[in-house]
Amino acid sequence: MAAWPAVPLLINLGGSLLGFAATLTLIPAFKDHFLAARLFGEDLNKASRRPVPEAQGVISGAVFLIILFCFIPVPFLRCFVAEQCAAFPHDEFVELIGSLLAICCMIFLGFADDVLNLRWRHKLLLPTMASLPLLMVYFTNFGNTTIVVPKPFRVLLGMHLDLGILYYVYMGMLAVFCTNAINILAGINGIEAGQSLVIAASIIVFNIAELNGDYQDDHIFSLYFMIPFFFTTLGLFYHNWYPSRAFVGDTFCYFAGMTFAVVGILGHFSKTMLLFFIPQVLNFLYSLPQLFHIIPCPRHRLPRLNPSTGKLEMSYSKFKTKSLSALGTNILKAVKILHIVDVRSGTDEDGEYTECNNMTLINFVIKLIGPTHERNLTLLLLLIQKAFV
């Protein structure tokens, strides 16, 4: 087994620590610039609606890119000494550049979303476009589309199955899912950056544990991205923690999701990556009726603050009963029987109405434990994230 490239990893760690300090410093330094550009929002879960700078993920993303731009020659230092490098590893170089291109595109598109407030159909299209460089790198460097069939299906499909173009469709969908999954599980201070920190830390531990395995180079490649991501996100998390002095914005959600997709696809553990996203998968499945507008979906689905108690309670979607389709009616009946959604009906001046809690994991946790303080709710959700990974 080849020795670990200790020098590149140590240089990467050193740059990441500098990135942590830079992110901590730059976010408050640029606060007035964002406020002057009207890139700010109000914290809806606070009694005082003070303006909070929005889209701060662009700062942590920019620092991350600077670290890795400066790091580009480091993994190839051995090739600067002729006798230590038989041939320049062009495939590794293309992986690194293609990955940075995909992440850079996603940061740009995410910032455009924060500024232009794009529609949901665009939020699905943008990651698809940004993943194309990634898929091309995979095609030119690897091109392997064969998977190991799970044991229960081997009688029908055999030990291995070549998915062909469907494997590229899967990887493209993974990039779309990762970028939007973090964006959907959001709305309280610290949750976007916090869940990304837990996932990144879990991937780092997984990579280190696999360094003595058969795919050492793939996990080293993943560490080159995950270590700077972890530390720059840690700096952002410090300012995003309750009470938040900075909102991460869609920029960070897209940036984080694409970074995870990059290491999962080019690190060849795209299926394992989904295991780190179990809470996000559950949140996505729970949210499906509202995401597809089978049940009315308001613009903001975050919990609501009870000013008298200072605690967060479930938020509700209220709509006319007759406006609901037959499918929506049946879904509400089913989730009410299963006690996973609070459904209420009544009559007001507009006639019969129905309301149900907004279908997010955050509201579901509140349903289980009752009204709770925002800081405690974030901690509990991060513990749930850690329990699954």
Side-chain angles (χ1 to χ4, degrees):
M1 184 59 61
W4 299 0
V7 172
L9 285 173
L10 287 174
I11 292 174
N12 186 279
L13 176 61
S16 301
L17 291 172
L18 291 175
F20 169 67
T23 306
L24 276 180
T25 305
L26 290 174
I27 288 177
F30 277 86
K31 176 182 178 180
D32 291 338
H33 294 275
F34 279 82
L35 294 178
R38 303 189 65 80
L39 283 173
F40 62 85
E42 294 181 345
D43 197 333
L44 301 178
N45 287 327
K46 302 294 185 298
S48 60
R49 298 292 181 86
R50 58 184 177 81
V52 179
E54 183 74 77
Q56 298 301 285
V58 73
I59 295 178
S60 66
V63 174
F64 171 87
L65 288 176
I66 291 171
I67 294 169
L68 282 178
F69 285 163
C70 295
F71 181 75
I72 287 174
V74 174
F76 312 105
L77 288 176
R78 68 186 186 279
C79 288
F80 296 141
V81 181
E83 61 271 16
Q84 294 185 14
C85 183
F88 188 84
H90 291 93
D91 55 338
E92 296 178 18
F93 183 74
V94 168
E95 278 185 46
L96 191 59
I97 298 300
S99 301
L100 287 174
L101 174 60
I103 294 172
C104 190
C105 287
M106 207 65 256
I107 293 174
F108 168 73
L109 295 172
F111 190 66
D113 187 11
D114 278 324
V115 174
L116 303 175
N117 195 21
L118 302 176
R119 295 179 179 273
W120 264 106
R121 59 176 176 268
H122 301 137
K123 294 173 188 275
L124 297 176
L125 179 64
L126 297 182
T128 305
M129 295 297 101
S131 67
L132 292 179
L134 197 60
L135 299 181
M136 284 303 302
V137 170
Y138 186 89
F139 175 77
T140 54
N141 277 9
F142 309 106
N144 183 21
T145 58
T146 302
I147 63 168
V148 178
V149 177
K151 289 183 179 180
F153 304 102
R154 287 179 184 174
V155 176
L156 297 174
L157 302 174
M159 178 70 74
H160 300 94
L161 179 66
D162 187 1
L163 295 180
I165 194 171
L166 292 179
Y167 194 74
Y168 291 94
V169 173
Y170 160 73
M171 290 189 290
M173 291 175 65
L174 178 68
V176 174
F177 173 77
C178 288
T179 52
N180 285 285
I182 294 173
N183 199 16
I184 295 171
L185 185 54
I188 56 177
N189 290 172
I191 190 63
E192 298 99 323
Q195 63 184 299
S196 300
L197 270 180
V198 174
I199 294 171
S202 303
I203 294 172
I204 290 171
V205 172
F206 169 69
N207 291 149
I208 292 174
E210 293 292 325
L211 281 180
N212 290 322
D214 296 332
Y215 301 98
Q216 182 188 91
D217 291 344
D218 296 331
H219 292 286
I220 290 171
F221 172 83
S222 176
L223 286 172
Y224 288 159
F225 284 82
M226 282 294 100
I227 294 173
F229 177 80
F230 177 85
F231 282 102
T232 53
T233 301
L234 186 62
L236 178 63
F237 180 69
Y238 175 81
H239 293 288
N240 186 232
W241 181 246
Y242 181 92
S244 180
R245 285 92 62 198
F247 290 156
V248 300
D250 290 338
T251 306
F252 175 77
C253 298
Y254 288 176
F255 156 51
M258 183 55 73
T259 305
F260 293 141
V262 160
V263 299
I265 292 171
L266 296 184
H268 298 94
F269 56 93
S270 59
K271 294 175 288 294
T272 304
M273 176 66 71
L274 286 178
L275 297 178
F276 298 121
F277 275 80
I278 290 178
Q280 286 72 25
V281 172
L282 294 175
N283 180 63
F284 172 72
L285 295 175
Y286 186 57
S287 300
L288 274 178
Q290 286 193 311
L291 294 179
F292 287 96
H293 294 279
I294 300 171
I295 293 171
C297 181
R299 176 174 174 77
H300 296 292
R301 300 192 298 160
L302 68 163
R304 64 185 181 191
L305 175 70
N306 186 331
S308 61
T309 63
K311 295 182 177 181
L312 296 184
E313 300 176 350
M314 289 190 295
S315 60
Y316 286 81
S317 174
K318 184 178 179 181
F319 45 89
K320 292 182 179 180
T321 303
K322 62 182 180 181
S323 68
L324 202 60
S325 66
L327 177 59
T329 301
N330 290 329
I331 288 175
L332 281 187
K333 287 179 180 178
V335 294
K336 185 176 182 180
I337 292 172
L338 295 172
H339 299 286
I340 58 176
V341 174
D342 185 27
V343 182
R344 302 185 295 207
S345 300
T347 305
D348 58 15
E349 61 274 10
D350 296 323
E352 291 186 6
Y353 71 86
T354 300
E355 61 179 357
C356 64
N357 66 269
N358 286 309
M359 298 176 185
T360 67
L361 184 62
I362 299 174
N363 280 309
F364 182 69
V365 169
I366 295 175
K367 176 178 171 57
L368 294 179
I369 66 174
T372 186
H373 191 275
E374 184 174 3
R375 179 179 57 247
N376 297 335
L377 182 59
T378 303
L379 283 171
L380 179 58
L381 287 164
L382 295 182
L383 287 173
I384 292 172
Q385 183 80 49
K386 182 64 182 75
F388 276 104
V389 299

